[in-house]
Amino acid sequence: MAQIPIKRSIERVPGGMMIVPLLIGSLVATFLPDMPKFFGSFTNALFTGSLPILAVFYVCMGASIDVKATPYLLKKGGVLFATKVGTAVLIGVIMGHFLGEQPISSGIFAGISTLAVVAAMNDTNGGLYMALMGQYGRSEDVGAYSVMSLESGPFLTMVTLGVAGLAAFPWPTLVGAILPLLLGMLLGNLDREMRDFLAKAVPVMIPFFALALGASLDLHKVWQAGLLGIGLGVAVVLVTGIPLYFADRLSGGTGVAGVAAANTAGNAAAVPALVAAANPVYADAASTATLLVAACVVVTAVLSPILTSMVAKRYKARHGESEPSVVAEREVVR
């Protein structure tokens, strides 16, 4: 039988394993909204079961986090983690003061909400970061994502919204948001075979929860959200990229790792729906926020590599070395 390169074609799209199923789900929701219910059973569950799928996803994600990271990994990952989340908190506080929980209802910025901006800024695209650092950084910089992966999930977004003075979440809800990740970390660190077993499921789960999320979105709003998504994507790269660059430099890095972390993870598109499920006051903002964050994933996946390459070449030109990693390795030897 002739083989069709479906997977390869999807992966050519930035964030394709998240974006393409999301789009398919949106098409079903827009043109065949009653189809899942018509077939019912497992078919309906496939299009409406994003929360259970995400719960499993975060258990598997947690299992991939090694708590026995070396001091360098803790330092590098901790600095980038604190800077990324700290920037999101600061922006969340400012926007929360002016917008509250609800999205802007009219004008060219209609649909923008504190939830959308915080969700887009809070979570780093791990695959993109590791690929960029594999090309432009040190192997240790790649491993720093083991700390940064704690950004995954709705927990930090909920905390950020609470810090911003918006509608808070009861402590059981906050704990419940991070328990699957902690359970996965416990399993993965107690048993290396469990880590290998569960970690393999992380990329597999992405298209499934993306499809279910897309099935709740109306494509009539996509054009507007797409334009805003481009602006939000640019804002994420610049607003988080600048402090990340300087934080990386101040911690002894080249700045390349900081810029490589200035992007949005594909699974961040799931966060608005999870937040709205935990607190209905965010329900109005969640649907548009999902589209905005999904667009942001694509935009940052294009801009972040370009900016990372420019910073790496600039560092190379200043230090007269073939790669930033060469300089870093010589500094370690010294």
Side-chain angles (χ1 to χ4, degrees), residues 56-65 145 149 152 181 198 202 267:
V56 177
F57 172 81
Y58 288 122
V59 172
C60 297
M61 171 68 78
S64 68
I65 300 173
Y145 184 70
S149 60
S152 299
L181 193 73
L198 293 172
V202 171
N267 57 61

Side-chain angles (χ1 to χ4, degrees), residues 3-291:
Q3 293 292 298
I4 302 175
I6 298 174
K7 179 175 180 290
R8 191 178 306 170
S9 299
I10 292 175
E11 289 177 338
R12 286 174 182 166
V13 179
M17 280 299 177
M18 177 75 191
I19 300 302
V20 173
L22 188 79
L23 178 59
I24 293 173
S26 298
L27 289 171
V28 171
T30 303
F31 300 108
L32 298 169
D34 297 322
M35 186 270 285
K37 290 183 179 179
F38 176 79
F39 288 104
S41 188
F42 297 120
T43 300
N44 187 50
L46 187 64
F47 283 88
T48 59
S50 60
L51 292 181
I53 298 172
L54 280 163
V56 177
F57 172 81
Y58 288 122
V59 172
C60 297
M61 171 68 78
S64 68
I65 300 173
D66 187 356
V67 297
K68 295 180 180 179
T70 65
Y72 178 84
L73 299 187
L74 290 173
K75 175 185 174 183
K76 174 68 71 174
V79 166
L80 296 179
F81 171 84
T83 304
K84 187 81 180 282
V85 175
T87 302
V89 169
L90 178 61
I91 299 299
V93 169
I94 295 173
M95 291 193 66
H97 177 72
F98 292 100
L99 297 183
E101 297 90 352
Q102 303 305 313
I104 296 176
S105 58
S106 60
I108 60 174
F109 294 108
I112 284 287
S113 62
T114 307
L115 173 61
V117 175
V118 170
M121 291 187 174
N122 250 344
D123 202 348
T124 298
N125 188 326
L128 180 59
Y129 170 82
M130 289 186 284
L132 290 172
M133 295 317 298
Q135 181 176 357
Y136 299 112
R138 309 164 53 180
S139 58
E140 292 88 346
D141 291 330
V142 176
Y145 184 70
S146 61
V147 177
M148 297 163 63
S149 60
L150 291 170
E151 298 167 357
S152 299
F155 176 74
L156 286 173
T157 297
M158 291 180 182
V159 172
T160 300
L161 294 172
V163 172
L166 304 182
F169 300 83
W171 73 264
T173 300
L174 287 174
V175 174
I178 201 172
L179 269 181
L181 193 73
L182 295 178
L183 175 61
M185 289 176 65
L186 180 64
L187 291 171
N189 283 276
L190 288 177
D191 186 349
R192 188 176 301 172
E193 290 184 1
M194 281 297 291
R195 175 185 299 158
D196 295 338
F197 172 70
L198 293 172
K200 292 175 183 176
V202 171
V204 176
M205 304 297 291
I206 293 174
F208 291 100
F209 73 67
L211 178 70
L213 285 172
S216 66
L217 304 176
D218 186 347
L219 279 181
H220 293 109
K221 300 178 181 178
V222 166
W223 176 246
Q224 183 182 40
L227 292 175
L228 289 173
I230 293 174
L232 181 58
V234 173
V236 167
V237 172
L238 295 179
V239 174
T240 67
I242 293 173
L244 281 167
Y245 171 82
F246 286 108
D248 188 22
R249 290 301 303 269
L250 290 172
S251 65
T254 64
V256 177
V259 178
N263 43 57
T264 303
N267 57 61
V271 169
L274 293 173
V275 171
N279 192 334
V281 74
Y282 293 100
D284 290 342
S287 59
T288 306
T290 299
L291 290 171

